[in-house]
Amino acid sequence: MNYETLKWEQKGAVGYLTLSRPKALNALNAKVFQELDHCLSSLDNRSLRILIVQGAGDKAFVAGADIKEMSGLNAKEAEEFSKTGQKVFSLLEALPFPVIAVIQGFALGGGLELALACDILLLEENSKVGLPEVTLGLFPSFGGTQRLARAVGFYKAKEMIFSGNFYTAQEAYSMGLVNFALPKEKLMSQAEELSKIFQKRGPLAIAQAKQLIQKSYSLSLETALQLEAQEFGRLFDKQDSQEGMKAFIEKRPPQFKGN
């Protein structure tokens, strides 16, 4: 897949998606969303087990939306721009395997919203994150008002969005916004170590667990528990679960096939 604003590489079962507009600090514009939409919709979910998302250069993961492009929009166009970002990030969130965000430099506005659509967030220890949209008289509109509250709680999300402040890696880690805050040289090695671990686990089980976790926000506890039991039962019709339990009994590593 050849793109103007993205770089794509696959090594075995691991995909590497790089947002590549380094001169613009990887800012999100219509072209980026168009190419992200195509890329995410074209992924081979059978061969991929992990996706690692990063930004080109070390200054920014994604510094936000492209303000120059956005400033020329009218109300209807702005609504469509918001819906486009929401659609693309929802595609990312819905992928049936773990998505790891490797964040160096700034992850601001739409950049943080992109990271929030991933499953595991690794943040370089000198990086900063934030949602500064209110400093422009706007608010996060690519899912940020929804996903941030689910990540850090309503009150912290309100503080972050209302203030527009930047937060250090340690602050982000302390509030549970990211999984790891690491030195630059350890970021990718940690992402790849997690990738190795996840690839040893049952892919169908991970996919179902991910889906259930995401659905939990929109379902009552009673309904969610019923769905959990139902999906747990369905796994017993799959070869992977039989292989996993048999391997445990036989004291050997399981050989999962994804079926």
mmCIF file of all heavy atoms in Angstrom, residues 170-192:
data_model
loop_
_atom_site.group_PDB
_atom_site.id
_atom_site.type_symbol
_atom_site.label_atom_id
_atom_site.label_comp_id
_atom_site.label_asym_id
_atom_site.label_seq_id
_atom_site.Cartn_x
_atom_site.Cartn_y
_atom_site.Cartn_z
ATOM 1 N N GLN A 170 4.556 11.442 32.944
ATOM 2 C CA GLN A 170 4.338 10.893 34.272
ATOM 3 C C GLN A 170 2.923 11.179 34.753
ATOM 4 O O GLN A 170 2.277 10.336 35.377
ATOM 5 C CB GLN A 170 5.350 11.451 35.274
ATOM 6 C CG GLN A 170 5.300 10.772 36.636
ATOM 7 C CD GLN A 170 5.455 9.255 36.546
ATOM 8 O OE1 GLN A 170 6.393 8.755 35.923
ATOM 9 N NE2 GLN A 170 4.541 8.516 37.150
ATOM 10 N N GLU A 171 2.413 12.378 34.452
ATOM 11 C CA GLU A 171 1.034 12.707 34.815
ATOM 12 C C GLU A 171 0.056 11.813 34.057
ATOM 13 O O GLU A 171 -0.936 11.331 34.631
ATOM 14 C CB GLU A 171 0.755 14.179 34.524
ATOM 15 C CG GLU A 171 1.446 15.139 35.491
ATOM 16 C CD GLU A 171 1.336 16.579 35.058
ATOM 17 O OE1 GLU A 171 1.287 16.850 33.830
ATOM 18 O OE2 GLU A 171 1.326 17.455 35.945
ATOM 19 N N ALA A 172 0.325 11.591 32.780
ATOM 20 C CA ALA A 172 -0.542 10.735 31.970
ATOM 21 C C ALA A 172 -0.544 9.306 32.502
ATOM 22 O O ALA A 172 -1.592 8.645 32.566
ATOM 23 C CB ALA A 172 -0.095 10.751 30.513
ATOM 24 N N TYR A 173 0.623 8.829 32.910
ATOM 25 C CA TYR A 173 0.727 7.481 33.466
ATOM 26 C C TYR A 173 0.005 7.393 34.804
ATOM 27 O O TYR A 173 -0.724 6.426 35.071
ATOM 28 C CB TYR A 173 2.194 7.082 33.633
ATOM 29 C CG TYR A 173 2.390 5.731 34.266
ATOM 30 C CD1 TYR A 173 2.154 4.561 33.549
ATOM 31 C CD2 TYR A 173 2.788 5.625 35.600
ATOM 32 C CE1 TYR A 173 2.316 3.312 34.140
ATOM 33 C CE2 TYR A 173 2.949 4.384 36.195
ATOM 34 C CZ TYR A 173 2.715 3.229 35.466
ATOM 35 O OH TYR A 173 2.868 1.999 36.046
ATOM 36 N N SER A 174 0.169 8.408 35.637
ATOM 37 C CA SER A 174 -0.430 8.396 36.976
ATOM 38 C C SER A 174 -1.956 8.384 36.920
ATOM 39 O O SER A 174 -2.609 7.797 37.783
ATOM 40 C CB SER A 174 0.053 9.606 37.787
ATOM 41 O OG SER A 174 1.446 9.528 38.008
ATOM 42 N N MET A 175 -2.527 9.038 35.919
ATOM 43 C CA MET A 175 -3.991 9.079 35.816
ATOM 44 C C MET A 175 -4.556 7.879 35.059
ATOM 45 O O MET A 175 -5.766 7.767 34.865
ATOM 46 C CB MET A 175 -4.455 10.378 35.156
ATOM 47 C CG MET A 175 -4.181 10.492 33.684
ATOM 48 S SD MET A 175 -4.854 12.005 32.922
ATOM 49 C CE MET A 175 -3.631 13.224 33.383
ATOM 50 N N GLY A 176 -3.687 6.968 34.619
ATOM 51 C CA GLY A 176 -4.143 5.777 33.919
ATOM 52 C C GLY A 176 -4.458 5.993 32.456
ATOM 53 O O GLY A 176 -5.100 5.166 31.818
ATOM 54 N N LEU A 177 -3.961 7.119 31.914
ATOM 55 C CA LEU A 177 -4.226 7.427 30.506
ATOM 56 C C LEU A 177 -3.355 6.583 29.580
ATOM 57 O O LEU A 177 -3.754 6.273 28.454
ATOM 58 C CB LEU A 177 -3.975 8.916 30.249
ATOM 59 C CG LEU A 177 -4.206 9.443 28.840
ATOM 60 C CD1 LEU A 177 -5.634 9.175 28.375
ATOM 61 C CD2 LEU A 177 -3.910 10.945 28.780
ATOM 62 N N VAL A 178 -2.143 6.235 30.016
ATOM 63 C CA VAL A 178 -1.242 5.415 29.213
ATOM 64 C C VAL A 178 -0.790 4.212 30.034
ATOM 65 O O VAL A 178 -0.817 4.232 31.258
ATOM 66 C CB VAL A 178 -0.013 6.219 28.727
ATOM 67 C CG1 VAL A 178 -0.457 7.418 27.900
ATOM 68 C CG2 VAL A 178 0.866 6.677 29.890
ATOM 69 N N ASN A 179 -0.365 3.162 29.338
ATOM 70 C CA ASN A 179 0.080 1.947 30.008
ATOM 71 C C ASN A 179 1.514 2.029 30.486
ATOM 72 O O ASN A 179 1.867 1.461 31.521
ATOM 73 C CB ASN A 179 -0.059 0.741 29.067
ATOM 74 C CG ASN A 179 -1.475 0.513 28.620
ATOM 75 O OD1 ASN A 179 -1.953 1.146 27.684
ATOM 76 N ND2 ASN A 179 -2.176 -0.385 29.290
ATOM 77 N N PHE A 180 2.353 2.726 29.708
ATOM 78 C CA PHE A 180 3.770 2.829 30.029
ATOM 79 C C PHE A 180 4.275 4.228 29.704
ATOM 80 O O PHE A 180 3.869 4.816 28.693
ATOM 81 C CB PHE A 180 4.602 1.826 29.212
ATOM 82 C CG PHE A 180 4.266 0.388 29.456
ATOM 83 C CD1 PHE A 180 3.287 -0.247 28.704
ATOM 84 C CD2 PHE A 180 4.936 -0.348 30.419
ATOM 85 C CE1 PHE A 180 2.967 -1.578 28.919
ATOM 86 C CE2 PHE A 180 4.626 -1.680 30.641
ATOM 87 C CZ PHE A 180 3.642 -2.301 29.884
ATOM 88 N N ALA A 181 5.182 4.755 30.536
ATOM 89 C CA ALA A 181 5.944 5.965 30.239
ATOM 90 C C ALA A 181 7.415 5.555 30.286
ATOM 91 O O ALA A 181 7.927 5.182 31.348
ATOM 92 C CB ALA A 181 5.659 7.062 31.251
ATOM 93 N N LEU A 182 8.077 5.589 29.131
ATOM 94 C CA LEU A 182 9.382 4.952 28.989
ATOM 95 C C LEU A 182 10.401 5.866 28.315
ATOM 96 O O LEU A 182 10.033 6.783 27.575
ATOM 97 C CB LEU A 182 9.240 3.685 28.137
ATOM 98 C CG LEU A 182 8.336 2.579 28.667
ATOM 99 C CD1 LEU A 182 8.070 1.556 27.568
ATOM 100 C CD2 LEU A 182 8.959 1.915 29.877
ATOM 101 N N PRO A 183 11.699 5.598 28.539
ATOM 102 C CA PRO A 183 12.721 6.300 27.763
ATOM 103 C C PRO A 183 12.562 5.989 26.276
ATOM 104 O O PRO A 183 12.076 4.914 25.897
ATOM 105 C CB PRO A 183 14.036 5.718 28.302
ATOM 106 C CG PRO A 183 13.693 5.155 29.634
ATOM 107 C CD PRO A 183 12.281 4.685 29.536
ATOM 108 N N LYS A 184 12.975 6.916 25.440
ATOM 109 C CA LYS A 184 12.825 6.794 23.992
ATOM 110 C C LYS A 184 13.357 5.470 23.462
ATOM 111 O O LYS A 184 12.716 4.808 22.637
ATOM 112 C CB LYS A 184 13.540 7.967 23.311
ATOM 113 C CG LYS A 184 13.535 7.931 21.802
ATOM 114 C CD LYS A 184 14.285 9.126 21.233
ATOM 115 C CE LYS A 184 14.352 9.069 19.715
ATOM 116 N NZ LYS A 184 15.092 10.255 19.170
ATOM 117 N N GLU A 185 14.537 5.066 23.946
ATOM 118 C CA GLU A 185 15.175 3.873 23.402
ATOM 119 C C GLU A 185 14.456 2.585 23.779
ATOM 120 O O GLU A 185 14.742 1.518 23.211
ATOM 121 C CB GLU A 185 16.643 3.800 23.854
ATOM 122 C CG GLU A 185 16.863 3.691 25.341
ATOM 123 C CD GLU A 185 16.930 5.040 26.056
ATOM 124 O OE1 GLU A 185 16.551 6.062 25.441
ATOM 125 O OE2 GLU A 185 17.374 5.050 27.216
ATOM 126 N N LYS A 186 13.531 2.650 24.718
ATOM 127 C CA LYS A 186 12.822 1.445 25.150
ATOM 128 C C LYS A 186 11.407 1.329 24.582
ATOM 129 O O LYS A 186 10.744 0.304 24.768
ATOM 130 C CB LYS A 186 12.762 1.389 26.674
ATOM 131 C CG LYS A 186 14.123 1.200 27.338
ATOM 132 C CD LYS A 186 13.983 1.034 28.842
ATOM 133 C CE LYS A 186 15.338 0.787 29.491
ATOM 134 N NZ LYS A 186 15.216 0.617 30.964
ATOM 135 N N LEU A 187 10.940 2.376 23.899
ATOM 136 C CA LEU A 187 9.556 2.395 23.429
ATOM 137 C C LEU A 187 9.239 1.240 22.495
ATOM 138 O O LEU A 187 8.325 0.452 22.734
ATOM 139 C CB LEU A 187 9.262 3.717 22.716
ATOM 140 C CG LEU A 187 8.787 4.911 23.540
ATOM 141 C CD1 LEU A 187 8.534 6.084 22.607
ATOM 142 C CD2 LEU A 187 7.542 4.585 24.333
ATOM 143 N N MET A 188 9.977 1.155 21.389
ATOM 144 C CA MET A 188 9.655 0.148 20.390
ATOM 145 C C MET A 188 9.951 -1.254 20.888
ATOM 146 O O MET A 188 9.204 -2.200 20.581
ATOM 147 C CB MET A 188 10.410 0.425 19.096
ATOM 148 C CG MET A 188 9.978 -0.463 17.923
ATOM 149 S SD MET A 188 8.173 -0.428 17.589
ATOM 150 C CE MET A 188 8.002 1.221 16.911
ATOM 151 N N SER A 189 11.005 -1.419 21.679
ATOM 152 C CA SER A 189 11.299 -2.749 22.205
ATOM 153 C C SER A 189 10.178 -3.228 23.131
ATOM 154 O O SER A 189 9.824 -4.411 23.134
ATOM 155 C CB SER A 189 12.644 -2.761 22.941
ATOM 156 O OG SER A 189 12.631 -1.877 24.042
ATOM 157 N N GLN A 190 9.594 -2.307 23.895
ATOM 158 C CA GLN A 190 8.474 -2.679 24.756
ATOM 159 C C GLN A 190 7.249 -3.038 23.919
ATOM 160 O O GLN A 190 6.543 -4.003 24.211
ATOM 161 C CB GLN A 190 8.129 -1.526 25.701
ATOM 162 C CG GLN A 190 6.964 -1.799 26.637
ATOM 163 C CD GLN A 190 7.243 -2.925 27.616
ATOM 164 O OE1 GLN A 190 8.164 -2.844 28.434
ATOM 165 N NE2 GLN A 190 6.466 -3.993 27.536
ATOM 166 N N ALA A 191 7.001 -2.253 22.861
ATOM 167 C CA ALA A 191 5.869 -2.545 21.976
ATOM 168 C C ALA A 191 6.025 -3.920 21.340
ATOM 169 O O ALA A 191 5.059 -4.696 21.252
ATOM 170 C CB ALA A 191 5.749 -1.476 20.902
ATOM 171 N N GLU A 192 7.221 -4.233 20.913
ATOM 172 C CA GLU A 192 7.447 -5.515 20.251
ATOM 173 C C GLU A 192 7.446 -6.677 21.245
ATOM 174 O O GLU A 192 7.049 -7.788 20.895
ATOM 175 C CB GLU A 192 8.739 -5.451 19.442
ATOM 176 C CG GLU A 192 8.593 -4.480 18.257
ATOM 177 C CD GLU A 192 9.826 -4.365 17.390
ATOM 178 O OE1 GLU A 192 10.936 -4.679 17.886
ATOM 179 O OE2 GLU A 192 9.686 -3.948 16.220
#
